[in-house]
Amino acid sequence: MKNIGLVFFVILLLVGCENNKSFKNSLDKAQISESDIEYFQNLVGDTVLFTVDQSGLRPDAISILNAQVNWLKEKKFLPITIEGHADEQGTREYNLALGARRATAVREFLLAKGIEQDRISIVTYGKERPLRVCSNEECWSKNRRAVTVVGKKIVE
Amino acid sequence: MVRHSVLKLLKIFSFTSILFINFSFVAAQKNDAPQLDMTVNRGVIKPISLAVPSFIKESGANSIISRELAKVISNNLDSTGLFRSIPQSAYVSMPLSFNTPVQFSDWSIINADVLVMGSVGLKPDGRLEVKFRLWDVSQQKEIGKGKQYFTNSESWRRISHKISDTIYTRVTGEGAYFDSRVVFVSETGPKDNRTKRLAIMDQDGANFRLLKHPPSLVIAPRFSPTTNKIIFTGYETGKPRVYLMDLSSEEITSLPELNGMSFAPRFSADGSQIVLSMTENGNTDIFINTLTTGVKRRLTTNSAIDTAPSFSPDGKSIVFESDRGGGQQLYIISTQGGDAKRISFGKGRYATPVWSPRGDLIAFTKIKEGKFHIGVMRVDGTKERLLTTSFLDEGPAWAPNGRVLMFFRETPGSAGAPSIYSIDISGRNLRKIKTSSFASDPNWSPILN
């Protein structure tokens, strides 16, 4: 219950924050615990972004993924699912395949850094689950993403 | 006023159909660059003027059905863009009996080229008896022989579609397509929280019905050639997987051999196999799966994205898209495997190829300079023609006669949503199909039995 209250507090603060820095300051004030999944989502960063039509990891993605690895190594019992997404500028089937490539690129990175293979599931959503809904690069750049979802495991 | 005979109009039509349909398969010279990026923008063809009076009511039939039979036929034929119905309010007389001689002067005075005469009666066993005859008004001759149908009274719309098909094929020489259905994805809710449901309707949008399935995401249903099954991609397990649904029971079967992530399935023309994409270790390739044995066979081994496969009608080849050359382009490969041959060479990206049921053309989605198009090309990649352009046009589906395409068009922005459209492969007659929700991923059935 305490955590839920904290999350609401953080969300309220987040609404008022203009940029990442003040967001982080607000989180510090909220004293969110480093072991919370909310901490992983918001402070470690659960999402990495990709260039149009690409599945290669950019430097900004690699620094986020390194932080993910550090956090995940402290949480050995938690399974993770990596969701790969694409923006709306491609056809449905191609975007499913592209989302799978992106999720796989993240999985390969985590495996190379020592995260156990049996903890990781991957799934592609292609362009089916956009985060942002405008039809220009501002939204598209946020939709070309791979999200590391902690605590979720897809059973075959 | 000079009156065109239907036969003269037919000549005009068959001339255009040589231009648009009956492409001769003269192989292009090797040095010839394929003809690319032609957008069709031709003159308007004068539609054939059509009179469809309400069907004559015989023994016990109700007048609603006698009117509606005629209305559905008019709507079908008008929707082709090749016919134009004269409103019934312009008629100077109404036929009173099916067997009395036609007063041709009453129809030539309102410039009707073709007259459809029908009757409907109710048999003692509760079946409808529907009869029709087709007349060339200026020649004062019957076109083909009259036809008679018996059906239960709930199926009267299908009789209208069958009569429409007979008129259409007799007058234009093209194959039938009105007595068919469309399976598609019905979409509701905001763009960032869409609910997608499998749905089915008649080709003209009537008899819309949602199909029963788990609430998880569903994608791109496709008909079996016998029209009693569909195959689609669903997320019930959390991953995209291919499922079969029996349309009469709406029972869903999973295919255990297609483990991992599988999507983009389509049936072969004989229904015994499906071709689909599977993703392993991030790489998407094409597989053929035999439904009776559950044996799957890998067709491509490329590290590129190989997806959106479609069988040729003779079952010997598969057309698919691949980014093995850098961007998405179209390739053809034998169902026995071997090397894939690239057939698209234009600027931009080519996707979602679908082989025409007539075997002569491949329809595709093209993305070029930020716009999406639906286009067609010959199977050797020549004579590319783009039929549409918009922010997002995607996923062409062939009518059973290979003459009309459906696809979906999505509008841009935060309120953006998809609708289904149809277009003639000449590039004329773009029409929005009325649906009660947003709609995408249309797939057209073969002619019903």
Side-chain angles (χ1 to χ4, degrees), chain A residues 53 88-89 91-94 96-98 100-101 104 107 122-125 127-130 133 135 154 156, chain B residues 191 196 219 235 237-239 260 263 281-282 284 305 321 323 328 351-352 372 391 394 408 413-414 441:
Chain A
D53 250 348
E88 66 186 347
Q89 298 172 97
T91 45
R92 205 179 299 295
E93 298 87 347
Y94 180 83
L96 285 172
L98 181 60
R101 265 186 183 166
T104 304
R107 185 182 66 172
I122 62 166
V123 61
T124 176
Y125 285 104
K127 61 175 173 178
E128 306 302 313
R129 292 281 180 264
V133 293
S135 291
I154 295 172
E156 283 292 330
Chain B
K191 190 172 174 180
K196 292 193 169 196
I219 291 172
Y235 275 71
T237 64
K239 286 191 181 192
F263 53 94
N281 298 318
T284 302
I305 289 174
E321 60 168 86
D323 66 354
Q328 282 165 281
T352 76
F372 280 63
F391 166 72
E394 186 179 336
F408 71 94
S414 55
D441 294 0

Side-chain angles (χ1 to χ4, degrees), chain B residues 183 285 350:
Chain B
V183 65
D285 280 321
Y350 294 78

Side-chain angles (χ1 to χ4, degrees), chain A residues 10-19 22-23 26:
Chain A
V10 168
I11 288 167
L12 282 174
L13 285 170
L14 179 56
V15 169
C17 291
E18 284 298 310
N19 56 44
S22 59
F23 171 48
S26 312

Side-chain angles (χ1 to χ4, degrees), chain B residues 175-338:
Chain B
Y177 75 97
F178 297 115
D179 188 25
S180 60
R181 293 200 174 106
V182 174
V183 65
F184 63 103
V185 172
S186 164
E187 301 193 19
T188 53
K191 190 172 174 180
D192 56 355
N193 191 20
R194 277 282 151 76
T195 300
K196 292 193 169 196
R197 293 285 309 274
L198 299 173
I200 193 167
M201 62 184 175
D202 294 351
Q203 138 288 131
D204 59 356
N207 291 324
F208 166 88
R209 180 164 65 88
L210 289 172
L211 300 171
K212 285 196 290 279
H213 58 81
S216 43
L217 178 63
V218 286
I219 291 172
R222 313 289 188 205
F223 271 106
S224 71
T226 47
T227 74
N228 62 342
K229 284 193 180 106
I230 56 167
I231 194 153
F232 65 98
T233 304
Y235 275 71
E236 195 187 353
T237 64
K239 286 191 181 192
R241 282 193 70 159
V242 168
Y243 297 93
L244 275 169
M245 180 192 280
D246 184 293
L247 282 176
S248 50
S249 64
E250 297 187 19
E251 197 171 294
I252 295 172
T253 321
S254 64
L255 302 165
E257 64 274 20
L258 305 180
N259 50 359
M261 288 193 274
S262 56
F263 53 94
R266 282 184 195 273
F267 280 95
S268 60
D270 68 2
S272 67
Q273 296 181 316
I274 54 167
V275 64
L276 74 154
S277 266
M278 291 192 67
T279 299
E280 288 171 348
N281 298 318
N283 178 34
T284 302
D285 280 321
I286 310 285
F287 290 75
I288 290 178
N289 187 50
T290 302
L291 289 169
T292 45
T293 59
V295 173
K296 72 172 185 238
R297 183 161 56 85
R298 174 186 282 270
L299 204 59
T300 66
T301 53
N302 205 286
S303 63
I305 289 174
D306 294 341
T307 190
S310 167
F311 273 100
S312 63
D314 65 9
K316 290 180 180 161
S317 307
I318 303 284
V319 63
F320 65 100
E321 60 168 86
S322 176
D323 66 354
R324 59 185 63 188
Q328 282 165 281
Q329 296 287 341
L330 307 184
Y331 294 79
I332 289 178
I333 189 169
S334 162
T335 47
Q336 300 309 307

Side-chain angles (χ1 to χ4, degrees), chain B residues 26 33 47 74 97 101 110 126 129 159 174 197 215 251 255 292 308 311 345 372 378 385 406 413 418 446:
Chain B
V26 181
S74 293
S97 150
I110 60 165
E129 179 189 24
I159 301 302
E174 299 286 341
R197 293 285 309 274
E251 197 171 294
L255 302 165
T292 45
F311 273 100
F345 292 92
F372 280 63
R378 281 156 49 164
R385 290 183 291 116
M406 279 191 192

Side-chain angles (χ1 to χ4, degrees), chain B residues 397-442:
Chain B
W398 286 101
N401 69 350
R403 162 94 215 189
V404 181
L405 292 166
M406 279 191 192
F407 61 97
F408 71 94
R409 170 170 290 181
E410 198 149 342
T411 50
S414 55
S419 302
I420 295 176
Y421 286 76
S422 70
I423 191 163
D424 192 275
I425 58 164
S426 64
R428 288 189 300 263
N429 200 32
L430 177 71
R431 298 170 68 90
K432 188 173 176 173
I433 309 294
K434 280 185 193 136
T435 47
S436 56
S437 63
F438 305 137
S440 61
D441 294 0

